[in-house]
């Protein structure tokens, strides 16, 4: 049971930033903060804003990096005089707004802070290649778009009849759309692994959840925003949406940067968080927004160990990797469309190309990037940059057999899976992950330990707007607990035994 602490409600703002706690048996009012928010990405910052809006100021964001934004990270690429800010992490506002309908909250933040973004034509502005150069298979792409839509329609029928989930690979088989050659495979890759951003192949994806995730974001009749994607090209970086938002409410004493959490000790009475330098911080509540990959890898220790239902949920969702490889050339010699697809004998080998040296983005920049995902991302993370560059150039030279393709003047990619603060790019819902697992991923432990982030979003896992809505919701629910008198927490299933698709899953404590 929770107590209300008047000292805090009366505005006792005497919390210290990351100061060592004094005693084991602290009174509630002498804890370092009411709420410790672990992680300063979109979920953490929006949760903090929600507490702030509810008049709760006694919180502290603990962030390992030297800035807020989390996976919203940029990089300056280019030779002197031709330098550009490019996005290593999220780049698109996915689903924008239709008429006066619901706007993607990320678009709303971009509008508010004047963060420049530009419609990116991912379906219409595409050139297609294979290893002998240009080859027109655009018609196959159109077919592939329809085939993906069809898997979503049949998924909807499965949900209505409460049939169990299967892999997306099975959906392609059942609907008679399994790719039969490398061109069809490249087009399917474009749809599933890339444009829908699952960053994993169809056999690694849930059939039903991939349809939900797509519908909830892109189809207005299911509450989605629009079917458009806008590319952020702001030279301050996409992260500006969250940093400028934080600057409006966050006080310096409410955030502790360069602070790596190593241990989270929790009980029904509160929590003690230990940082890498030995500092301990106490609180009534902890909101953990660390990436699913970090939780899976065990970078942070929980004391006591998390209950088995929570561990199962954490280990059942999957962390996928999405890697953008940037190149700058003296001069543009490539396609004049926004996008290009390269079909290789090996599915997923440097398949998706995007021109930034385009009138809509950075004309004259000499910039182009290629994206790889999933297992191929892990493969190149293990290679030297120079070896990856060599492979990429081999592909580019195959795409342009009649041109002497020069070496790039700049080359860069980030290894998201190897980064101990992320351990991948974003979560993906595999066929063995069930709606009960998703509820358990969000559920509280001992009413003290809360979880939020893109991975806890049933509808929008993987997306920035998923992280946003989860931060908002956790902020609201934690605020209710802080205000008291009762803290309900989020309920969980002790074991997941029901494979019925959401929304028919019933949650009991
Ligand atoms: C390459 C890539 C491309 C993407 N593309 C898109 C896109 O185009 N559109 C889109 O909508 N989404 C995209 N995403 C997904 C999007 O970036 C995420 O959904 C979102 O940023 C997640 O926010 P979050 O707050 O849940 O987590 P995070 O941003 O990961 O925040 C968690 C924070 O915890 C910190 N942390 C980790 N460990 C510790 C520790 N031990 N101690 C203290 N702090 C710690 C991290 O530094 C981080 O700041 C992409 C992601 C990647 C990586
Ligand atoms: C959207 O809202 C504006 C201003 O309220 C109004 O003028 C316009 O007619 C609306 N458009 C639609 C499509 O509803
Ligand atoms: C996804 O949207 C399509 C088109 O609106 C619909 O037919 C289908 O039932 C939806 N699928 C799911 C799983 O919600
Ligand atoms: C440990 O880190 C915290 C937060 O970054 C800082 O406030 C504190 O001074 C550090 N303590 C030591 C002993 O370095
Ligand atoms: C490249 O050159 C070959 C041989 O001259 C020619 O057949 C082919 O059409 C050319 N390809 C392109 C893309 O120009």
């Amino acid at each position: 049971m929770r107590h209300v602490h008047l000292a805090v409600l009366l505005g006792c703002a005497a919390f210290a930033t990351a100061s060592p706690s004094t005693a084991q048996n602290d009174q509630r009012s002498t804890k370092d903060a009411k709420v410790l928010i672990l992680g300063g990405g979109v979920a953490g910052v929006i949760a903090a804003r929600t507490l702030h809006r509810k008049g709760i100021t006694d919180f502290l964001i603990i962030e390992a990096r030297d800035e807020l934004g989390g996976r919203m990270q940029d990089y300056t690429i280019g030779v002197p005089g031709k330098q550009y800010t490019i996005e290593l992490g999220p780049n698109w506002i996915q689903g924008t707004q239709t008429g006066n309908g619901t706007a993607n909250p990320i678009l709303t933040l971009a509008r508010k802070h004047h963060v420049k973004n530009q419609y990116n034509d991912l379906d219409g502005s595409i050139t297609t290649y294979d290893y002998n150069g240009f080859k027109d298979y655009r018609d196959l792409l159109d077919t592939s778009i329809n085939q993906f839509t069809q898997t979503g329609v049949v998924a909807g029928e499965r949900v209505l009849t409460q049939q169990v989930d299967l892999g997306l690979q099975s959906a392609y088989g059942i609907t008679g759309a399994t790719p039969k050659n490398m061109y069809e495979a490249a087009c399917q890759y474009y749809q599933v692994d890339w444009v829908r951003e699952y960053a994993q192949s169809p056999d690694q994806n849930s059939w039903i959840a991939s349809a939900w995730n797509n519908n909830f974001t892109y189809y207005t009749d299911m509450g989605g925003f629009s079917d458009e994607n806008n590319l952020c090209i702001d030279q301050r970086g996409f992260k500006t949406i969250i940093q400028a938002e934080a600057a409006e409410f966050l006080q310096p004493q409410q955030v502790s940067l360069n602070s790596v959490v190593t241990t989270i000790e929790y009980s029904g009475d509160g929590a003690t968080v230990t940082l890498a330098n030995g500092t301990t911080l106490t609180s009534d509540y902890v909101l953990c927004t660390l990436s699913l990959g970090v939780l899976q890898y065990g970078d942070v220790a929980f004391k006591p160990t998390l209950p088995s239902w929570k561990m199962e949920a954490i280990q059942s969702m999957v962390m996928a990797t999405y890697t953008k490889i940037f190149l700058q050339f003296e001069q543009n010699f490539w396609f004049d469309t926004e996008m290009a697809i390269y079909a290789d004998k090996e599915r997923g080998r440097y398949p998706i190309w995007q021109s930034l040296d385009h009138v809509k983005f950075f004309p004259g920049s000499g910039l182009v990037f290629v994206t790889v995902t999933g297992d191929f991302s892990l493969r190149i993370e293990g290679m030297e940059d120079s070896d990856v560059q060599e492979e990429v150039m081999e592909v580019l030279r195959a795409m342009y057999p009649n041109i002497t393709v020069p070496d790039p003047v700049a080359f860069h990619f980030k290894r998201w899976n190897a980064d101990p603060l992320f351990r991948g790019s974003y979560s993906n819902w595999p066929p063995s992950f069930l709606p009960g697992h998703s509820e358990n991923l969000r559920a509280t432990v001992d009413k003290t330990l809360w979880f939020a982030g893109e991975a806890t979003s049933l509808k929008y896992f993987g997306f920035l707007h998923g992280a946003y809505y989860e931060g908002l919701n956790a902020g609201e629910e934690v605020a209710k607990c802080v205000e008291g008198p009762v803290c309900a927490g989020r309920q969980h299933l002790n074991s997941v035994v029901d494979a019925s698709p959401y929304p028919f899953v019933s949650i009991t404590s």
Side-chain angles (χ1 to χ4, degrees):
M1 261 218 268
R2 298 238 155 240
H3 309 273
V4 197
H5 291 283
L6 287 173
V8 173
L9 294 180
L10 291 172
C12 166
F15 54 90
T17 302
S19 62
S21 68
T22 43
Q24 292 284 346
N25 300 323
D26 282 351
Q27 297 286 308
R28 280 292 156 79
S29 52
T30 63
K31 285 184 178 171
D32 293 302
K34 272 271 162 193
V35 187
L36 290 174
I37 300 173
L38 312 185
V42 172
V45 170
I46 295 304
R49 190 190 69 181
T50 307
L51 293 177
H52 170 86
R53 286 184 177 172
K54 298 211 172 272
I56 296 163
T57 54
D58 190 4
F59 62 80
L60 175 66
I61 298 178
I62 305 177
E63 168 55 49
R65 296 179 64 240
D66 61 2
E67 63 172 1
L68 296 173
R71 284 168 244 183
M72 306 194 84
Q73 295 181 25
D74 50 59
Y75 177 81
T76 304
I77 193 168
V79 292
K82 258 178 109 174
Q83 295 193 317
Y84 295 83
T85 300
I86 45 117
E87 301 295 332
L88 301 176
N91 217 153
W92 287 276
I93 298 165
Q94 304 198 266
T96 53
Q97 184 177 26
T98 305
N100 290 349
T102 312
N104 183 327
I106 302 302
L107 177 68
T108 304
L109 285 176
R111 284 174 176 155
K112 178 176 171 188
H113 299 294
H114 309 290
V115 170
K116 199 171 168 192
N117 60 90
Q118 171 71 51
Y119 169 66
N120 195 178
D121 185 358
L122 303 180
D123 287 344
S125 183
I126 305 175
T127 312
T128 49
Y129 296 86
D130 70 6
Y131 50 80
N132 290 318
F134 171 76
K135 167 137 180 130
D136 190 1
Y137 50 91
R138 273 294 325 269
D139 55 325
L140 294 180
L141 187 64
D142 295 336
T143 306
S144 158
I145 293 170
N146 295 335
Q147 287 170 333
F148 177 76
T149 304
Q150 185 57 21
T151 66
V153 170
V154 182
E157 290 159 10
R158 290 189 78 83
V159 171
L160 283 177
T161 50
Q162 298 197 43
Q163 284 179 272
V164 296
D165 196 15
L166 290 168
L168 192 52
Q169 177 106 318
S170 308
Y172 275 91
I174 287 169
T175 57
T178 304
K180 291 180 181 60
N181 56 49
M182 70 180 202
Y183 304 109
E184 292 183 5
C187 292
Q188 186 203 46
Y189 180 99
Y190 190 85
Q191 275 306 299
V192 174
D193 305 46
W194 188 75
V195 88
R196 302 300 159 187
E197 293 243 22
Y198 302 118
Q200 290 199 289
S201 54
D203 58 315
Q204 297 167 312
N205 276 286
S206 151
W207 178 0
I208 291 175
S210 58
W212 281 332
N213 185 268
N214 183 63
N215 282 2
F216 291 134
T217 290
Y218 293 110
Y219 289 179
T220 49
D221 59 356
M222 294 225 5
F225 314 113
S226 80
D227 60 3
E228 299 192 339
N229 293 284
N230 282 12
L231 191 78
C232 177
I233 49 172
D234 198 294
Q235 288 300 290
R236 296 167 295 170
F238 199 1
K239 68 187 179 203
T240 303
I241 62 162
I242 214 69
Q243 292 183 352
E245 189 67 7
E248 286 189 352
F249 72 90
L250 201 62
Q251 301 299 313
Q253 69 272 20
Q254 289 173 320
V255 56
S256 183
L257 298 174
N258 304 304
S259 305
V260 178
V261 173
T262 55
T263 309
I264 303 166
E265 224 175 314
Y266 65 94
S267 73
D269 269 344
T272 303
V273 168
T274 306
L275 306 184
N277 72 2
T279 296
T280 59
L281 294 158
T282 55
S283 67
D284 285 349
Y285 303 99
V286 163
L287 173 58
C288 177
T289 75
L290 309 182
S291 126
L292 175 77
V294 169
L295 297 178
Q296 288 182 336
Y297 202 88
D299 291 293
V300 173
F302 288 88
K303 287 186 186 162
T305 50
L306 290 170
S308 58
W309 58 265
K310 177 63 85 176
M311 303 251 257
E312 179 176 320
I314 289 171
Q315 297 299 345
S316 304
M317 190 77 167
V318 166
M319 200 65 183
T321 305
Y322 182 100
T323 315
K324 298 192 272 183
I325 307 165
F326 294 89
L327 302 101
Q328 187 181 49
F329 291 92
E330 299 265 14
Q331 268 187 328
N332 183 334
F333 57 84
W334 52 88
F335 49 92
D336 54 15
T337 50
E338 295 173 39
M339 307 299 306
I341 304 180
Y342 165 71
D344 191 273
K345 283 174 253 183
E346 181 186 343
R347 189 182 184 279
R349 184 165 180 268
Y350 306 108
I352 313 296
W353 291 77
Q354 175 151 15
S355 183
L356 289 173
D357 190 344
H358 186 281
V359 65
K360 284 166 68 175
F361 310 118
F362 306 134
S365 65
L367 287 170
V368 64
F369 69 99
V370 55
T371 299
V372 299
T373 60
D375 297 336
F376 202 91
S377 285
L378 302 189
R379 175 181 166 274
I380 70 162
E381 283 201 15
M383 293 164 56
E384 297 286 342
D385 276 26
S386 55
D387 291 343
V388 175
Q389 181 176 323
E390 206 170 290
E391 286 191 350
V392 168
M393 291 311 298
E394 197 182 288
V395 166
L396 206 45
R397 287 177 177 130
M399 286 163 68
Y400 294 99
N402 297 352
I403 296 177
T404 308
V405 176
D407 280 332
V409 292
F411 179 87
H412 186 78
F413 74 96
K414 177 176 164 75
R415 291 169 173 80
W416 283 100
N417 190 68
D419 189 327
L421 299 179
F422 303 96
R423 305 278 183 203
S425 298
Y426 45 81
S427 67
N428 191 31
W429 186 312
S432 56
F433 189 77
L434 300 168
H437 288 130
S438 181
E439 294 295 336
N440 281 355
L441 202 53
R442 295 179 97 228
T444 44
V445 178
D446 288 350
K447 297 183 184 176
T448 298
L449 196 49
W450 293 69
F451 294 84
E454 54 84 10
T456 64
S457 176
L458 183 86
K459 288 184 167 181
Y460 315 107
F461 60 87
F463 291 119
L464 286 165
H465 49 276
Y468 180 101
Y469 284 129
E470 288 298 290
L472 192 67
N473 185 271
E476 281 168 357
E477 292 193 42
V478 172
K480 280 184 208 152
C481 287
V482 172
E483 286 158 358
V486 284
C487 179
R490 287 178 182 150
Q491 299 189 318
H492 68 267
L493 297 160
N494 282 323
S495 51
V496 178
V497 293
D498 180 5
S500 304
Y502 167 86
F504 300 99
V505 67
S506 59
I507 305 296
T508 54
S509 192

